[in-house]
Amino acid sequence: MPSATIRPETQYATLHQQGEAAQLGMWVFLATETLFFGALIFTYYLYRISYPEAIAHASEDTVLWCGSVNLALLLTSSLTMVLAINAAAQGRRGAAMALLLATIVLGFCFLGVKGYEYAADYSDKVVPAVNFTLKPGEPPASELFWIYYFVATGLHAIHVTTGLGLLLYVFWRLRQRRVTAAYYAPIEVVGLYWSFVDTVWIFLFPTIYLAGRL
Amino acid sequence: MAMIAAEAEPTYLDNENTIASWLLTKDHKRIALMFLASITAFFFVGGFAATLIRLHLATPNGLLQPSMYNRMFTMHGVIMVWFFLIPSIPTTLGNFLIPLMIGAHDLAFPRINLMSWYVFNLSGLVLLYALIMGGVDTGWTFYTPYSTSFSNGYVFAAALAVFVNGFSSIMTGLNFVVTIHRLRAPGMTWDRLPLFIWGIYSVSIVMLLATPVLAMDTLLLAVERFVGTGMFDPLRGGDPLLWQHMFWFYSHPAVYIMILPAMGLVSELIACYARRPIFGYSGMTIAMMAIAILSFFVWAHHMFVAGISIYSAILFSLTTFFVAVPSAIKVFNWTVSLHKGAIIFDAPMLYALGFVLLFTIGGVTGLMLATLGVDVPVHDTYFVIAHFHYIMVGATVSAFFGGVHFWWPKMTGRHYPEAWARFAAILAFAGFNLTFFPQYILGNLGMPRRYYTYPAEWQSWNLLSSAGASILAVAYALPLFYLGWSLFYGKRADPNPWRATGLEWLTPSPPPKDNFEHTPTVLIGPYSYDPESDRYTTQDGVSHA
Ligand SMILES: [Cu+2]
């Protein structure tokens, strides 16, 4: 039996206890992440209230289709992710690996679209301190929007990249049969993280792309 | 038979002896000692800066250049807050004791624990780089737009150091919360947890929820400083007060990050040395959790004169008053716990009693500062400096020293020399009051903080304060010598030298690598001391004479 080789670490009595600890650990970590992104979104609303026109004006210059495609990509990847967890829990290893691979591909597509969008932003001269020119009639405070945009999407992209690294790691562990129906906490925990990354985008999307368009 | 087996087993200190076995260890006890070494080093670097500050202020004309003086108080603040006080009790005694006190074999995530130590030292190196290259002159609060647009110090590196340091805090807090939730021994219910564990639990929650906000704040500061964006620059529409709001959203709770573990720790000491159960155990736990939660709703009391609206100032003044309620409950309960106790005045108890007294003075003057009418004149004066040093140094550092002495036999297997330790404890108490009580008076007279000079008529108070600081320095350096001596020549300690009730005293001193041969079963709550008959019952239900 390959699953017999998985043993709990010394501080745990059972694999079940180890899995529960890992899950709680990820939930606690996501609580800190919520405060981290929450603080950033708080700064956004501060300036949104202080300079409603400037923020709306700047928001119209974002590339809506890039943001929307990326929203679709991430939402789909969350679906394949939970299906992968489900398959792993039922011991369908091949299906779990295929679904995990789909999640990884969707994640890379997200980063590709994001990179394209950054290039478009650069030629649109909206990168603060690097390549920034106010458009005629645009209020100066719109620069604050673009700081928020690059810090928020940049941090989010780092999180997506981290998530992809974790997904590849779990994929490798599945291949090694070190994640099985008897102990699938690793894929579950990574799934939690991936859902969080998805959720952050759901919150960033309206603040960035819809502020000036509604 | 059990005794022979326990003695034959190698301790956590000598089961492996290579350097790699320390640097790659996953043993929470070894990591605790590594943290102790790191924070002790930083304590003396920060203390060195404090020494220079007090030397400078001994005379109105001073001995440092104004710009150097600014760099010294910034270095003192940054190092003492993030590199000593915040990690002090949790990463050392917390790391060492949590698994032992709850009957576990290690923390939930030993690798994350080790990584926390490396990240902590990495952030320390970044900070030392900033200091060696020329330092920072903003004060530990990094107020914008001075820090972003005008300061010519190494603000970027210092902000980066604080940012990275936060990861270490978060990793440690996360590990503690999960461990306390998931790895308690059979029978160790929440209402049987030692109060030290409750202190660590509440502080971990504060660390986890407050640190990310500071991380975002320092990240935005670093970006602004490095790339030249204008998030906090009023000339470009940015709001400099935004920095202060996010900074104090972390840094007020940070004060409770320093005090909550100390409160838990002192409860252990008072119960053991008064040979009495802690009065109002559940009140103590509720008070600690209440302080943790309330800490998130008081931050703007640091900004009463920063230009916030009078209505929010009134609100934040009120919430700050609320914090006094659980704090007073705790002081009341410690005092009642001493009543009719058979008090033993050993060094840890001297530190604990000093804690209660100095915390009370610091807390009461904190209430004065929470009052809007009082805060406006004394804001940014030495009154504030004296107030927070009574809490952070008088209370927290006393508790830390008391804890290190109390658990020293458990950590090292050796007794410290009691007479020297008592002498150091009394010296620290005297030196502390001599240093900081005159600062209340100076603040009341109107001496502003962070000024490098002052009118000649304030010299006597300043001189008194500087004299006290030299006594304090001796008192803080002394343990380094006699504790170091005790490592080699101290009397060997048996498993339970203080006849205390926690699970950590059931295992040999020092403990074996996996803490317990068999996972203990807990039958009763902590602090079953009987002052009348001098009997006590450890948490596994065994009664001792
Ligand atoms: Cu405060």
Side-chain angles (χ1 to χ4, degrees), chain B residues 18-27 30-32 34-35 38 42 83 91 95 110-126 161 164-169 171-172:
Chain B
T18 59
I19 292 176
S21 78
W22 280 86
L23 291 180
L24 299 175
T25 185
K26 288 187 278 167
D27 184 342
R30 286 192 166 196
I31 296 170
M34 284 148 67
F35 263 116
S38 294
F42 279 111
F83 293 87
T91 62
N95 229 331
R111 283 183 223 88
I112 291 180
N113 196 20
L114 180 64
M115 193 155 62
S116 176
W117 183 74
Y118 278 103
V119 170
F120 177 79
N121 286 311
L122 175 72
S123 69
L125 287 179
V126 176
V164 175
N165 182 281
F167 284 96
S168 168
S169 257
M171 282 191 253
T172 297

Side-chain angles (χ1 to χ4, degrees), chain B residues 248 251-253 255-256 295 298-302 320 387:
Chain B
W248 290 115
S251 292
H252 181 82
V255 179
Y256 299 151
S295 74
V298 299
W299 77 86
H301 64 211
H302 297 269
T320 307
H387 153 68

Side-chain angles (χ1 to χ4, degrees), chain B residues 186-232:
Chain B
M188 184 56 95
T189 51
W190 286 91
D191 56 352
R192 286 179 182 164
L193 283 176
L195 286 173
F196 180 67
I197 299 294
W198 272 103
I200 291 284
Y201 182 74
S202 54
V203 80
S204 302
I205 299 223
V206 180
M207 274 182 177
L208 288 166
L209 298 181
T211 315
V213 176
L214 179 77
M216 182 52 75
D217 209 18
T218 45
L219 183 71
L220 291 173
L221 178 76
V223 168
E224 178 145 346
R225 184 81 191 177
F226 194 66
V227 198
T229 53
M231 197 71 143
F232 301 117

Side-chain angles (χ1 to χ4, degrees), chain B residues 501 503 506 521-524 537-544:
Chain B
T501 58
L503 293 184
L506 299 182
T521 304
V522 178
L523 296 181
I524 56 166
T537 311
T538 43
Q539 284 195 266
D540 59 351
V542 181
S543 191
H544 308 263

